[in-house]
Amino acid sequence: MGRAELENWRETAESGNQLQRRDFIKAVTMAAAAVGLSSAAAMKVVEAASKGLKPSVIWLHFQECTGCTESLLRTSHPALSTLILDLVSLDYHETLSAAAGHQAEENLLATMEAHEGAYVCIVEGAIPTKDDGIYCKIAGKTALSLVKEVADRAGAVIAIGSCASFGGIPAADPNPTGAKGAPQVLEGKTVVTIPGCPANPYNLLGTVLQFVALGTLPALDEKGRPKFAYGRTIHEHCPRRAHFDAGRFAQEFGDEGHRQGYCLYKLGCKGPATHANCSTQHFGEVPGAWPIGIGHPCVGCTEQSLAFRVPIHTTVDIERPMPPDTYPPISADQGSVSAVASGVAGLVGGGLIGAGWAASKKLGGGDGAEGSSDKEE
Amino acid sequence: MSGHSVVHTPVGGRIMTGTMKVLLTIVALSGIVVAIRFLQGIAAVSNLSNGYPWGVWIAIDVVVGTAIGCGGFAVGILVYILNKGKYHPLVRPAVLTSLLGYGLAVIAVTIDLGRYWGLPKVPIFVWRWTHSPQLEVALCVTAYVMVLLIEISPAAFEKWKDSKNPTLRSLSASGMRIMDKILLWVLALGLLLPAMHQSSLGTMMLLPGPKVHPLWFTPWLPFLFLVNCIMIGYAVVVLEANFSSRAFGRPSETPMLASLSKVAAWVALFWGVFRLGEVAIAGELGLIATGKGMFFLAEVVLVLLAAAILFSEKNRNNPTWQVRAALIMLVGGALHRVNTYLIAFDPGANYHYFPSVPELLITFGIIAAEVAIYIAVVKTFPILGGHGPGPARSKA
Amino acid sequence: MSVDRRSMLKILAGGGVAAASAALPTKARAPLEVPPAAMGMLYDTTLCIGCKTCVVACKSANDRTPDPGPWGEEALYDAPVDLNGKTKNIIKLYKDDDYRSYMKMQCMHCVDPACAAACMLGSLKKNPVTGVVTYNPDYCVGCRYCMMSCPFNVAKFEFDLAVPNIVKCELCSHRIEDEATLTAGFTRYPEGQGPACCEVCPREAVIYGRRDELLEEAKRRIAASPGRYYEDRVFGETEAGGTQVLYLSHVPFAKLGLPEDIGDKGVPDVAYSVQEGIYYKVPFAIPVAMYGALAFVMFRNRKANEGEGGGKP
């Protein structure tokens, strides 16, 4: 959709609908609620938007499939239109912008100058570093130099998707292009990472909304992931957890257990080691639309150590194993009698007694010292 | 019965014989296991568990081990209280055996204790003493080991009397002087202490009452353990005297040992009858037919069998049967102790225990150490005695 | 020969004296009293849902590590099969054909604790006021006599460590800082200072307070629902001389692993009657008297031997 068309749509909507403002507030409030911001914060967003104080956003694309952008396009709380028209000023986005070529690049430079130190830089896709990064070039510049240049003057840097967070698919072995994520390339800079393949768009929305409303970034973990979304593993809030705890597993795709919706751990579910919120924040805005929900084990797409690295059907260790998962019986069998040990004990014990018994024969009767007569009993 | 002097002489001869090498190898192997135990904890080398916190290290190494060390006590009663001087030559080797039995039992305890570094606190922290039967055992055994050391010291002093080393000579002289004065009072202590702690070893197994099988849970346990240790003491002395004579080529003392065997037979008979009697009076004879009843039967039958063999004068004077009966008496007596501490102990049907091979190795190592040290000391110091020095030909 | 017989009689007589004085429990020792402010817990199996929150809370309040249990390396979670060096409190499952219920197990804090009776230097000690049996590793030698003695198999040992401790529930005594006050009918410490298991139980299946208050509550529940509880009684009121942790159950106690036939006498009764009878009635009188007798006889014998020209012992 070109920018002109978007503007048209908005004018039409505004003029045509008396309840436009109310809808707008409702939309923003819903969006804020969806990502845990209070209604007070939502009002701040509205105010900021009304004053035209929309933060500038520069969205960079590198080695990516554009899945994260596509994912973002399929949101409705708020709708992308609301987001990019009312809440932020999306000044550079290679997929969505109407402009192209030199015009787009001029826009990029102009935005960086005009909003230096204040714009949000969102990175989508991995950055190749091998051979000075020639494997991805836009407008004659390598991705490597582009990201450094843009991130350097940004107010906040957000890496969306696994590719931008840690390299993703391009970085899978043997990683011929030396693909890396934004945090690895932008050493020293705080980069919010929102891994996932695709990332859940609401995680991005939540982060952006907080920045818009409060000017701050959410609490991040040691990998830069917002804790509100990546603070727990899938296993820790999975709807199939009770089956795991009770030992009910699908053993094969399509078997009875699979049909009953049992735990997919044995099919290789990476949920126990994957930090994400897919189990509560589903995809495509359809409840239940997430991998495990539709019967496929989680592949751990948010985790660098798992995604595109560990085979999909290989099982993983449980992170943070708590709480207990089985019930011991009233009296559990403990200890056992080892056959070897009993054998050894019997042999030695019996041997000593037997030897003593046999040796007593040599003592003979009478009281001779050496060479005593062998008097058997 | 009238006073006569005993002449003690070292056996002499090469210490590092083939037998010694075998024994020391066993000790060395078990030493490795001991090292692992101290570095990695008890679970690394044993099958002791929360259900069976005590295993062979306690039941055999300590409880049977100290009983084997009651030779000094048992013979001491005969010689010093009943004034039977003819058993005098048996005293010193019995005391040595006792010292080794108790000393190695203390080592076994240190290996078994999880927090062994706290052991010195037991005799020192007097204000924290409780009425626990085990405390009494611990203090008594500690004191008794010291008493045994004093009791055996005349052997060392005798050896050092003519030593080339002047320090040892003067040590020997002053030692002998001190012994003259105090030995009697120390010996009396040496007859009191074992009576105290051996009976307390019995009392100890009264505390886990609900977990002890009724055939073994009786307030007579302390008395049973006391008589039992005297009986085992005699058996050990007979065994040790016979094998020493044979192994070191010394004249055998069959008539004296025959007399001793008769005493032992009476003690064994008394014990066996008393044991059966107290179970009968408690109305528990029926339990013999059940599960663990056969262990009870074994301990009584073996002891009575030994007594029966020894009541025949012909058997008593035949070293072969002397030794066999003593062996049966020892096994039967030891079985009572192992039964009380291990077999009769039932923490619940779901718990199972059998020692692991490394665990057994430590027990074997302790026994081997005992035998090895005995041989070495007997060859070096004047321990074995008799009616004049015998030919110093050693087979061990 | 006659002399021999005389000696034999002497032996038997001596043995008899020893027997009489050493073996007969003189007077059974007086039963221990319940301490004045005895704290305890009351667990009701009819309320427990087996959620195991109490196990988790106990682990975290007592700094215990997860125990992978017998599943070893395939371990998925903290799954102890019994109380052990890492587990002071456990929920066990009682299965009866198709019926399921739960059993919480931890230290019973007996009125007459066998573990404290066993301990040589009083490392396990019963608090004289609250009656809680606590463990002080400073005086522990790791002999495990307490484990042998406990009829409930509560005390456990860290066999797998080179520096091991005895491990058992201490009613979270380490958390107590303030006085206990009456709260909702029970004498309790402020939040965060009572036993962690009781504070987190979502159904109050296990509660804590003073033992007399809990007994009263237990009896009230029994009276309010006759037939609901096994034999309409509380386990621990008199068993083993009384315990401070009480159990109400709808299944027979023996099925839950409690020693139903343990009797009403304190477990240390027999052992202590014997031990104290011999040694402590008149402190050490018997051993001292025996020593005197032995020394006297030996002295007299020596004199007799010297008279006949014999040597010294």
Side-chain angles (χ1 to χ4, degrees):
Chain A
M1 208 198 267
R3 180 173 281 261
E5 285 170 274
L6 280 172
E7 293 286 1
N8 260 345
W9 177 90
R10 187 190 175 179
E11 275 162 17
T12 320
E14 267 190 279
S15 58
N17 201 332
Q18 287 161 324
L19 301 172
Q20 182 55 33
R21 179 159 173 88
R22 216 186 297 159
D23 283 339
F24 175 68
I25 294 173
K26 225 200 295 184
V28 173
T29 315
M30 268 163 51
V35 291
L37 290 175
S38 68
S39 45
M43 289 321 294
K44 279 209 191 144
V45 173
V46 174
E47 280 166 36
S50 332
K51 291 197 197 119
L53 297 172
K54 298 181 293 190
S56 168
V57 174
I58 293 179
W59 191 302
L60 303 173
H61 289 69
F62 299 126
Q63 288 174 310
E64 37 79 34
C65 67
T66 319
C68 293
T69 292
E70 292 289 339
S71 176
L72 191 61
L73 287 175
R74 285 148 182 79
T75 54
S76 61
H77 316 321
L80 189 69
S81 50
T82 313
L83 176 70
I84 64 178
L85 294 177
D86 298 322
L87 300 179
V88 303
S89 175
L90 189 58
D91 292 322
Y92 181 84
H93 192 296
E94 288 161 20
T95 316
L96 297 177
S97 66
H102 291 294
Q103 199 184 8
E105 294 311 305
E106 273 160 30
N107 199 21
L108 174 62
L109 276 170
T111 310
M112 281 166 59
E113 241 125 71
H115 301 283
E116 176 151 356
Y119 63 84
V120 178
C121 169
I122 298 183
V123 181
E124 184 178 352
I127 299 129
T129 57
K130 197 147 171 250
D131 297 330
D132 290 324
I134 57 170
Y135 300 104
C136 178
K137 279 175 124 175
I138 297 148
K141 297 188 201 154
T142 61
L144 192 54
S145 62
L146 262 174
V147 73
K148 284 187 181 161
E149 201 186 315
V150 178
D152 202 40
R153 297 150 83 174
V157 182
I158 303 177
I160 181 164
S162 294
C163 297
S165 299
F166 54 81
I169 289 187
D173 292 336
N175 197 354
T177 63
K180 289 191 180 162
Q184 289 90 57
V185 164
L186 300 169
E187 269 169 56
K189 237 177 142 52
T190 304
V191 177
V192 179
T193 55
I194 303 191
C197 187
N200 193 306
Y202 284 100
N203 294 346
L204 175 71
L205 280 174
T207 308
V208 168
L209 273 177
Q210 178 165 339
F211 189 74
V212 165
L214 305 169
T216 58
L217 292 171
L220 306 172
D221 70 7
E222 78 283 355
K223 292 189 172 128
R225 305 178 295 198
K227 284 186 184 168
F228 74 80
Y230 299 90
R232 287 186 290 182
T233 56
I234 295 291
H235 190 58
E236 283 169 338
H237 52 182
C238 177
R240 301 196 179 192
R241 180 57 184 280
H243 292 304
F244 175 92
D245 284 344
R248 292 190 286 264
F249 298 98
Q251 308 282 351
E252 280 177 12
F253 283 102
D255 72 359
E256 185 59 27
H258 197 222
R259 288 171 201 277
Q260 293 284 349
Y262 289 169
C263 175
L264 302 169
Y265 178 75
K266 290 201 172 170
L267 293 176
C269 181
K270 306 294 183 292
T274 303
H275 294 83
N277 60 345
C278 317
S279 50
T280 52
Q281 190 82 21
H282 301 159
F283 290 88
E285 306 205 339
V286 174
W290 67 295
I292 291 168
I294 58 159
H296 191 281
C298 163
V299 303
C301 70
T302 63
E303 294 287 345
Q304 183 170 13
S305 55
L306 299 174
F308 321 115
R309 193 142 272 136
V310 176
I312 287 176
H313 300 298
T314 301
T315 57
V316 285
D317 287 333
I318 315 284
E319 267 194 40
R320 294 187 291 274
M322 282 278 269
D325 72 328
T326 57
Y327 289 98
I330 294 289
S331 35
D333 264 0
Q334 296 175 58
S336 60
V337 178
S338 142
V340 175
S342 356
V344 169
L347 277 172
V348 174
L352 280 173
I353 298 176
W357 188 271
S360 69
K361 242 192 245 179
K362 297 212 192 109
L363 296 170
D367 55 358
E370 70 274 36
S372 33
S373 46
D374 265 357
K375 226 197 265 174
E376 317 278 34
E377 67 274 17
Chain B
M1 212 149 14
S2 50
H4 67 284
S5 17
V6 183
V7 179
H8 302 101
T9 49
V11 170
R14 201 168 47 111
I15 290 185
M16 195 52 75
T17 59
T19 312
M20 267 305 251
K21 286 188 186 139
V22 170
L23 290 169
L24 289 178
T25 310
I26 300 175
V27 173
L29 285 172
S30 83
I32 297 174
V33 182
V34 170
I36 298 176
R37 172 262 173 278
F38 282 116
L39 290 172
Q40 297 186 349
I42 294 173
V45 300
S46 80
N47 278 346
L48 294 174
S49 67
N50 284 317
Y52 279 90
W54 285 353
V56 291
W57 290 346
I58 295 287
I60 296 182
D61 297 7
V62 178
V63 180
V64 173
T66 53
I68 288 177
C70 273
F73 173 48
V75 171
I77 296 177
L78 287 177
V79 174
Y80 300 125
I81 300 298
L82 299 176
N83 213 12
K84 305 273 182 213
K86 75 173 169 185
Y87 298 118
H88 211 150
L90 294 174
V91 169
R92 237 186 233 180
V95 169
L96 174 64
T97 311
S98 295
L99 177 59
L100 292 176
Y102 273 87
L104 284 159
V106 168
I107 291 179
V109 165
T110 313
I111 294 173
D112 176 86
L113 285 182
R115 300 173 62 87
Y116 44 93
W117 54 90
L119 207 44
K121 290 185 188 164
V122 176
I124 297 175
F125 284 37
V126 183
W127 61 95
R128 288 200 70 98
W129 285 359
T130 60
H131 289 180
S132 164
Q134 191 178 251
L135 177 67
E136 197 270 309
V137 173
L139 295 171
C140 236
V141 167
T142 313
Y144 189 52
V145 172
M146 293 193 269
V147 162
L148 286 168
L149 278 167
I150 297 175
E151 279 189 42
I152 202 74
S153 61
F157 298 146
E158 269 174 38
K159 178 176 167 70
W160 295 331
K161 193 161 65 165
D162 303 315
S163 165
K164 297 198 187 93
N165 184 329
T167 324
L168 288 178
R169 272 205 312 274
S170 72
L171 193 62
S172 155
S174 40
M176 300 270 229
R177 267 198 315 273
I178 299 176
M179 282 304 124
D180 259 356
K181 299 208 182 68
I182 70 163
L183 196 58
L184 184 136
W185 311 107
V186 170
L187 285 172
L189 206 53
L191 293 178
L192 170 73
L193 294 174
M196 284 171 65
H197 65 252
Q198 285 295 335
S199 55
S200 289
L201 275 176
T203 315
M204 268 177 66
M205 279 312 275
L206 290 179
L207 193 45
K211 296 199 280 195
V212 179
H213 192 284
L215 278 174
W216 283 269
F217 181 72
T218 158
W220 291 107
L221 256 186
F223 180 61
L224 285 169
F225 265 58
L226 179 57
V227 179
N228 171 289
C229 88
I230 296 175
M231 171 177 82
I232 291 182
Y234 290 137
V236 167
V237 167
V238 168
L239 284 169
E240 169 246 312
N242 270 298
F243 281 110
S244 290
S245 306
R246 170 79 184 160
F248 304 128
R250 295 171 80 95
S252 64
E253 300 141 324
T254 308
M256 171 177 58
L257 294 174
S259 275
L260 186 67
S261 294
K262 188 157 175 222
V263 176
W266 277 105
V267 177
L269 176 67
F270 175 73
W271 188 90
V273 169
F274 191 91
R275 181 81 174 110
L276 267 175
E278 61 94 1
V279 161
I281 292 176
E284 286 162 354
L285 277 176
L287 290 171
I288 299 181
T290 65
K292 293 185 176 167
M294 60 175 171
F295 287 96
F296 169 83
L297 216 51
E299 71 185 35
V300 170
V301 162
L302 284 171
V303 165
L304 288 176
L305 179 63
I309 296 175
L310 289 174
F311 272 123
S312 139
E313 191 170 346
K314 183 154 169 268
N315 285 339
R316 277 206 301 278
N317 280 288
N318 180 339
T320 301
W321 281 103
Q322 226 183 56
V323 161
R324 288 180 175 181
L327 205 53
I328 296 173
M329 195 185 290
L330 171 60
V331 170
L335 188 61
H336 172 68
R337 290 171 174 247
V338 171
N339 282 345
T340 309
Y341 271 76
L342 215 43
I343 307 291
F345 181 70
D346 180 13
N350 53 313
Y351 291 103
H352 310 285
Y353 166 76
F354 195 86
S356 67
V357 172
E359 202 176 339
L360 288 168
L361 198 50
I362 289 187
T363 302
F364 299 151
I366 290 194
I367 297 173
E370 213 167 306
V371 177
I373 299 176
Y374 177 86
I375 295 175
V377 170
V378 147
K379 285 184 175 174
T380 318
F381 288 88
I383 301 284
L384 296 183
H387 326 284
R393 185 147 8 134
S394 163
K395 291 196 179 78
Chain C
M1 268 306 132
S2 58
V3 179
D4 266 325
R5 202 186 310 157
R6 210 184 302 152
S7 342
M8 288 314 134
L9 287 171
K10 269 195 220 162
I11 297 176
L12 290 173
V17 168
S21 59
L24 292 173
T26 43
K27 236 182 300 182
R29 87 196 217 289
L32 295 197
E33 297 289 324
V34 181
M39 296 295 282
M41 300 195 288
L42 172 63
Y43 174 71
D44 189 331
T45 67
T46 64
L47 295 174
C48 178
I49 55 170
C51 68
K52 292 178 281 187
T53 307
C54 56
V55 182
V56 178
C58 173
K59 289 250 165 177
S60 110
N62 284 279
D63 271 333
R64 296 278 118 195
T65 49
D67 173 13
W71 291 272
E73 269 149 46
E74 292 240 326
L76 305 177
Y77 276 107
D78 177 53
V81 288
D82 201 353
L83 296 173
N84 56 34
K86 300 184 173 108
T87 310
K88 293 187 177 185
N89 170 49
I90 194 169
I91 291 288
K92 294 180 172 182
L93 177 68
Y94 165 66
K95 273 204 284 208
D96 177 11
D97 290 338
D98 51 357
Y99 180 74
R100 303 279 181 276
S101 81
Y102 308 95
M103 170 63 178
K104 179 180 190 290
M105 199 60 213
Q106 73 299 294
C107 178
M108 303 291 281
H109 295 284
C110 304
V111 170
D112 191 356
C115 60
C119 190
M120 294 195 286
L121 293 181
S123 178
L124 282 164
K125 213 174 194 156
K126 188 173 178 68
N127 183 305
V129 171
T130 63
V132 173
V133 181
T134 53
Y135 170 70
N136 182 350
D138 290 347
Y139 303 107
C140 174
V141 294
C143 70
R144 313 185 296 281
Y145 191 24
C146 55
M147 293 173 68
M148 291 288 285
S149 309
C150 176
F152 302 100
N153 286 332
V154 159
K156 300 295 181 188
F157 196 62
E158 296 174 313
F159 284 105
D160 51 346
L161 298 182
V163 180
N165 280 339
I166 289 282
V167 172
K168 76 166 192 77
C169 157
E170 296 175 52
L171 226 55
C172 285
S173 310
H174 62 287
R175 311 204 309 171
I176 298 174
E177 283 168 16
D178 304 311
E179 296 290 315
T181 50
L182 203 57
T183 323
F186 296 102
T187 306
R188 286 180 176 165
Y189 299 107
E191 181 79 28
Q193 298 182 26
C197 53
C198 300
E199 286 184 354
V200 299
C201 180
R203 302 196 62 207
E204 293 196 339
V206 62
I207 55 176
Y208 85 100
R210 280 218 332 242
R211 183 179 185 261
D212 45 5
E213 295 163 351
L214 294 171
L215 256 179
E216 226 180 270
E217 165 68 13
K219 298 202 166 140
R220 189 195 61 75
R221 291 187 198 180
I222 293 174
S225 324
R228 177 184 168 98
Y229 297 108
Y230 178 67
E231 287 183 359
D232 281 340
R233 68 184 176 92
V234 197
F235 184 94
E237 190 178 355
T238 56
E239 279 79 0
T243 62
Q244 288 174 208
V245 176
L246 307 164
Y247 282 80
L248 280 172
S249 163
H250 58 297
V251 297
F253 298 119
K255 296 225 161 123
L256 299 177
L258 289 170
E260 216 173 313
D261 53 356
I262 196 173
D264 292 344
K265 292 229 294 238
V267 171
D269 248 20
V270 178
Y272 264 49
S273 299
V274 171
Q275 187 75 355
E276 290 180 342
I278 303 174
Y279 295 105
Y280 300 102
K281 268 246 144 1
V282 179
F284 300 112
I286 291 177
V288 167
M290 267 196 74
Y291 180 76
L294 290 165
F296 173 70
V297 170
M298 286 176 69
F299 191 77
R300 210 199 46 190
N301 283 340
R302 182 166 78 177
K303 278 250 174 317
N305 292 340
E306 275 168 4
E308 293 179 37
K312 306 228 173 80

